[in-house]
Amino acid sequence: MRPMLVRISAQAAFAWAEFRITLAARPRRKRGREEKGRGQTPQAGTDSESPGFAGRDLLREAVARLRDGRWLVAVIALAVLAGAIAIAGRIASGQAADNLRDTALAALPLAAGTLTGEIEKQRLVPLVLARDDAVREALRRAGKSQEAALDDKLKAIAGDASASAIYVIDTSGIAISASNAGEPASFVGIDYNFRHYFQEAMADGAASQYGLGTISGRPGLYLASRVDDGGKPLGVAVLKVELDGVEANWRSSGFLVFVTDERGVVLATSQPEWRFHALAPLSAQDAAIARGQLQLADADFEPLPLRRGAGDGLATIDSSGKQRQFVEVVQDLPGAVPGWRLWLLTPADAALSSAANTARLTTLLGLLLMGLLAFVLTRRRRARRLRQEALARMNAELESRVSTRTAELTRSNTALAGEITERENAEAKVRRLRDDLAQANRLSILGQIAAGVAHEINQPVAAIRTYAENAGRFLVDGRTEPVSGNLTSIVSMTERIGAITNTLRTFARRPGVAASPLPVREAIDGALSLLSGRIRDSGVAIVKPRGNASPVVMASRIRLEQILVNLLQNALDAMKDQPDARIEIDIAERDDRVLISVRDNGPGLGPEAAGNLFMPFQTTKEKGLGLGLVISQEIAQELGGTLRLDPGSASGASFTIDLRRIE
């Protein structure tokens, strides 16, 4: 209804303006003809109505429009150019990242092979020592004699294998022989019963553990193998390998490489300052387990300064306030140590920037060349068209002058009769336009009333449907007692629809409101009852007024409920899909006034929406009519109060109904 009224009004207004312009132009044309009749014929080239003057005006207007359009064309061209350059840079960056990823994937097996090869080479040493007769004999007489010969043997093996240390532990956890025996940091006599690798090797036959050395304080991988004698455990042979060589090899490759355990704690790394950091913050339980396994009593396992991309294979490292991008590839290392993963990061800033800049420059040059070519071709076509149009205008002007001079007298004789007819037609058109405008005004008023009725009766109709659906479910369940109550409520709702219709019919005449003493809580409970189904489906929490006091105001219950229902519906619409949605209803007494507030924690209202809040047909809803708050404000004024939007709300929107309190 409303768009049709707008179209009718707009068409009528345009037609009226056209008629006024026509009337304003007629007398001047008549005076020009009268002057011609008196012999004052305008000279060619100076008359404002001559074909030549009209042609020059058209040419100037076309040039002005062309100049105005150039700015728009320039803006569009710049936008297209910027978009094409940005897309080209993004595509080139993606291709460069893919190339770097292929390079990293090719280097990943080499980095993994360096680590696994070193570990596998060293893993054989404790296995061989576990079968060595000299080791078994030393463990059989553990604590009874010094093992100088075995110490020398272990020292020689450690030198050949490039191991940090090799030592033998008896069943009680005491080291009886070591490759560093006799040195200040000798392992002989040290109790290693607390080490996980000792406990696991005694239980399972073999074990590995990465951690700090209790004597040296240096990190390394401990490889342990149990020494058996006829099925009876005698002790454990242990080799410690420090991965300094592997880490140096990684650093020389130019990649950033590190290994993490099953909890994401960094162990071996080409960045020594990253050691014993974590990929992500650890829980208290995981941190405690990691400290025990790594023998790090005071470790915090701080997160790495590494932010991984969302599926694009790129990672960002924050270092000294500067961000660097890397291409990330990962490989599991079950063959080396269970749970270990190898991470290889390839520096990507230079490659991505170079590829993007090259692509942008190439795209810019190509588009500029295409634009220059298009400009030249357009200029040529435009010049040819202008020449053709100029020749056509010259021919038309010459023919027009000849016909004008020969037909001037005929036009003068017929002009008066034509103008009389035009005036009669114009007067008839004025009468039709006046009737159309009056009809449009009547339709606009009728549309407002119809929209208001539809908006207001929708609430009790929804309540009738809810009560009817509940009655149907009660009948299906065999519960007849609540059915009578629902049917009574339906009857009450129909009476309310009649009251609303009568109220809206009398609203245009602004009659007095039949008010009576009304406890405020009754109106609040009635409004919540009307919207109970929608409130339940929306999941919005309703906070009712605190306490049991219910001040009494002079008002009509139906009218006050209409205001509350409108405010609650607006709040429910505003908080659709809002997390932790809540509506608070509060009652306050101030002197002889009662303030009823409805607050929500939704997104609130912007300055423009708040300024037009109580204007008809102003709404922020897709299907709203913009009449709810207007009608609610009118009802509040008829009840002797006001409805306002509370300013300065921290979040959401808050409306207050201000009514007079009675004793």
Side-chain angles (χ1 to χ4, degrees), residues 446-495:
L446 178 60
Q448 294 179 14
I449 295 174
V453 171
H455 182 80
E456 292 300 324
I457 68 174
N458 187 53
Q459 302 161 2
V461 168
I464 290 174
R465 179 177 179 177
T466 301
Y467 285 126
E469 290 176 350
N470 290 338
R473 285 196 292 268
F474 290 145
L475 289 176
V476 173
D477 296 340
R479 299 164 57 190
T480 59
E481 294 180 1
V483 174
S484 177
N486 283 1
L487 295 178
T488 302
S489 299
I490 291 174
V491 173
S492 176
M493 291 299 102
T494 58
E495 293 175 353

Side-chain angles (χ1 to χ4, degrees), residues 3 23 66 84 93 133 183 187 223 268 286 305 330 333 336 357 404 425 509 568 573 613:
L23 287 181
L66 181 60
S93 296
D133 293 335
E183 299 177 4
F187 294 172
L223 303 173
D286 288 342
V330 186
L333 299 174
N357 291 335
T404 298
N425 293 335
R509 300 194 298 270
L568 291 171
D573 292 337
L613 198 59

Side-chain angles (χ1 to χ4, degrees), residues 235-539:
V236 175
V238 183
L239 178 144
K240 178 185 179 183
V241 54
E242 295 179 0
L243 302 175
D244 295 345
V246 175
E247 294 174 345
N249 183 278
W250 287 345
R251 279 192 293 272
S252 65
S253 67
F255 299 103
L256 199 159
V257 187
F258 60 94
V259 172
T260 59
D261 61 9
E262 63 272 19
R263 292 174 185 82
V265 178
V266 178
L267 304 178
T269 172
S270 62
Q271 294 285 106
E273 63 272 16
W274 284 15
R275 198 184 316 277
F276 301 131
H277 284 58
L279 289 175
L282 300 183
S283 64
Q285 181 179 0
D286 288 342
I289 296 174
R291 292 190 191 98
Q293 289 187 348
L294 298 174
Q295 305 297 307
L296 299 171
D298 300 325
D300 294 329
F301 303 112
E302 297 180 356
L304 289 174
L306 176 68
R307 289 186 293 104
R308 303 181 63 191
D312 57 359
L314 293 178
T316 303
I317 297 178
D318 296 326
S319 177
S320 301
K322 182 179 179 181
Q323 293 185 348
R324 296 182 298 162
Q325 281 190 312
F326 293 80
V327 172
E328 168 192 282
V329 292
V330 186
Q331 177 180 334
D332 292 329
L333 299 174
V337 179
W340 280 22
R341 302 188 76 191
L342 180 68
W343 302 72
L344 189 144
L345 305 180
T346 304
D349 285 328
L352 296 181
S353 177
S354 176
N357 291 335
T358 301
R360 294 188 187 107
L361 181 59
T362 303
T363 304
L364 175 61
L365 293 177
L367 291 177
L368 289 177
L369 290 176
M370 292 175 60
L372 180 60
L373 179 61
F375 175 78
V376 172
L377 295 177
T378 302
R379 293 284 292 184
R380 289 183 178 179
R381 285 197 296 269
R382 183 181 302 168
R384 184 168 57 252
R385 186 180 66 253
L386 290 177
R387 286 195 300 270
Q388 293 174 353
E389 291 175 354
L391 291 174
R393 283 194 299 271
M394 292 175 62
N395 294 332
E397 183 178 357
L398 182 59
E399 294 175 359
S400 177
R401 288 184 179 183
V402 173
S403 61
T404 298
R405 298 305 181 188
T406 56
E408 184 177 350
L409 182 59
T410 303
R411 290 198 306 270
S412 299
N413 293 332
T414 58
L416 182 59
E419 188 161 340
I420 293 173
T421 303
E422 288 180 2
R423 285 183 178 273
E424 292 175 351
N425 293 335
E427 291 175 356
K429 189 174 183 181
V430 168
R431 289 193 295 270
R432 289 196 302 271
L433 290 174
R434 188 182 299 111
D435 294 340
D436 290 343
L437 288 174
Q439 179 66 15
N441 187 33
R442 289 193 293 272
L443 290 176
S444 176
I445 296 173
L446 178 60
Q448 294 179 14
I449 295 174
V453 171
H455 182 80
E456 292 300 324
I457 68 174
N458 187 53
Q459 302 161 2
V461 168
I464 290 174
R465 179 177 179 177
T466 301
Y467 285 126
E469 290 176 350
N470 290 338
R473 285 196 292 268
F474 290 145
L475 289 176
V476 173
D477 296 340
R479 299 164 57 190
T480 59
E481 294 180 1
V483 174
S484 177
N486 283 1
L487 295 178
T488 302
S489 299
I490 291 174
V491 173
S492 176
M493 291 299 102
T494 58
E495 293 175 353
R496 181 166 297 180
I497 291 175
I500 291 172
T501 306
N502 182 65
T503 301
L504 293 175
R505 183 173 61 251
T506 59
F507 175 72
R509 300 194 298 270
R510 300 182 179 272
V513 179
S516 61
L518 171 68
V520 173
R521 285 185 179 271
E522 291 185 7
I524 294 175
D525 293 338
L528 292 176
S529 176
L530 286 172
L531 297 175
S532 59
R534 183 177 178 186
I535 293 173
R536 182 180 60 255
D537 295 338
S538 66

